[in-house]
Amino acid sequence: MIYDSARWTATLAGRRVLITGAARGIGAALAARLHERGARVALAGLEPDLLGSVAAGCADAPWWTCDVTDRDRVRTVVDEAARALGGLDVVVANAGVAAQMPVIGGDPAVLEQSLRVNVLGVHNTLSAAGPHISHRRGYTLTVASLAAVVRLPLLGAYSASKAAAEALGDTLRIELRPWGAKSGVAYFAELDTDMTSRGFGTEAAAVLAEGARGAMVSRVAPLKAGIDALERGIARRSRRIVAPWWVAAALPAHAALQPLLDRAVQPSLRRALEIARAEHAGLTTPQADRAL
């Protein structure tokens, strides 16, 4: 597809957008891109210094520290963002965490916090945003992952949480239809972000990839590929947003793809699991008052 920034600028200009997880990675880059296209952005996240810097680059956009697992805080931030922008047209539920976790012998706290942030946090965001975006220009976007439908070892906690987030986004799409609003889900493979380098840049993951000779995962794609896709998708209020391009084919083909991936990882899987059970891999974003 030819990238036409002028087309998206015309469509996005004036849109009132709240982005969670906006301190770094996808959220920060998306805020900068949408601001560049004329949207009015508001930001929420956990890291105030980083949030302030992102906001400064977006013409001093309003921002709030917000733990998305805190339902009352999320509702307050969403309501305040709506007041600051004079309403909301788009809410991007982007806040998320990841860490490797073998199902047997892994740290259950990784699963618990992944579910709190990636599922309950998404629900808190979408639920609070619902009344504000229930209009004909309204749109919510849940940032899921290719891992929501394609499973890899060590990613059980992440895949489970993103599959649940996908279900919430799809269900909301149906429930918003009477008001003319829309809801989309974004599916990314590995993009060049902190989540990829910090969450999956472990010894166990390296051993797994080496044994599979690169067959089990794609090469890390530039962050720009994801931001370009998000820009187009938000402008169109798309049901599905994917990056890199080949994820569009992987989604419907996942049933056939899964057995191939299962076989590809076998040569080094036992060793990788042994390493992972002894290796501490913290969550990708520091969590307030959490040990992980």
Side-chain angles (χ1 to χ4, degrees):
M1 178 181 294
I2 297 174
Y3 186 72
D4 184 356
S5 63
R7 177 183 177 186
W8 312 132
T9 298
T11 306
L12 291 166
R15 293 260 192 114
R16 301 162 295 179
V17 185
L18 172 63
I19 304 170
T20 68
R24 61 169 79 228
I26 290 171
L30 178 61
R33 175 68 66 84
L34 295 182
H35 168 70
E36 180 183 331
R37 299 296 186 248
R40 298 171 59 203
V41 299
L43 317 174
L46 285 177
E47 300 163 289
D49 291 342
L50 294 177
L51 277 171
S53 178
V54 175
C58 298
D60 292 323
W63 61 272
W64 296 263
T65 55
C66 181
D67 179 349
V68 293
T69 69
D70 183 338
R71 184 175 295 110
D72 291 339
R73 177 61 177 164
V74 172
R75 192 166 299 280
T76 295
V77 167
V78 170
D79 289 346
E80 290 184 1
R83 284 194 290 271
L85 299 181
L88 290 174
D89 300 307
V90 180
V91 173
V92 182
N94 169 68
V97 294
Q100 71 181 22
M101 186 206 73
V103 175
I104 300 173
D107 184 356
V110 170
L111 175 60
E112 291 164 0
Q113 187 63 359
S114 297
L115 294 175
R116 275 191 289 263
V117 176
N118 299 351
V119 183
L120 297 180
V122 165
H123 172 266
N124 292 341
T125 302
L126 298 179
S127 177
H132 298 286
I133 55 83
S134 292
H135 57 81
R136 295 195 65 80
R137 284 169 51 89
Y139 179 65
T140 67
L141 178 65
T142 299
V143 177
S145 169
L146 179 59
V149 294
V150 177
R151 322 297 183 202
L152 288 172
L154 307 182
L155 297 188
Y158 184 67
S159 290
S161 66
K162 288 301 186 177
E166 175 195 37
L168 286 171
D170 282 345
T171 302
L172 182 61
R173 184 188 71 253
I174 302 166
E175 294 180 357
L176 285 173
R177 188 170 294 173
W179 288 268
K182 295 185 178 181
S183 178
V185 177
Y187 301 85
F188 299 134
E190 287 186 304
L191 299 178
D192 187 10
T193 66
D194 288 345
M195 177 170 283
T196 296
S197 60
R198 295 171 62 180
F200 308 131
T202 64
E203 182 183 355
V207 167
L208 200 61
E210 181 182 359
R213 295 186 177 89
M216 69 164 192
V217 291
S218 66
R219 298 172 63 181
V220 175
L223 177 57
K224 182 179 182 297
I227 302 307
D228 288 350
L230 286 169
E231 180 183 347
R232 290 190 297 265
I234 291 171
R236 295 167 167 173
R237 298 193 302 159
S238 296
R239 176 175 175 171
R240 295 285 183 266
I241 298 173
V242 302
W245 62 269
W246 56 262
V247 173
L251 290 176
H254 70 89
L257 181 62
Q258 190 65 59
L260 300 177
L261 294 175
D262 293 349
R263 288 194 292 272
V265 301
Q266 291 304 311
S268 56
L269 181 55
R270 184 166 181 166
R271 181 172 170 234
L273 289 170
E274 290 170 351
I275 293 170
R277 287 165 187 154
E279 183 178 28
H280 175 72
L283 293 168
T284 48
T285 301
Q287 302 294 290
D289 301 322
R290 303 282 184 191
L292 287 168

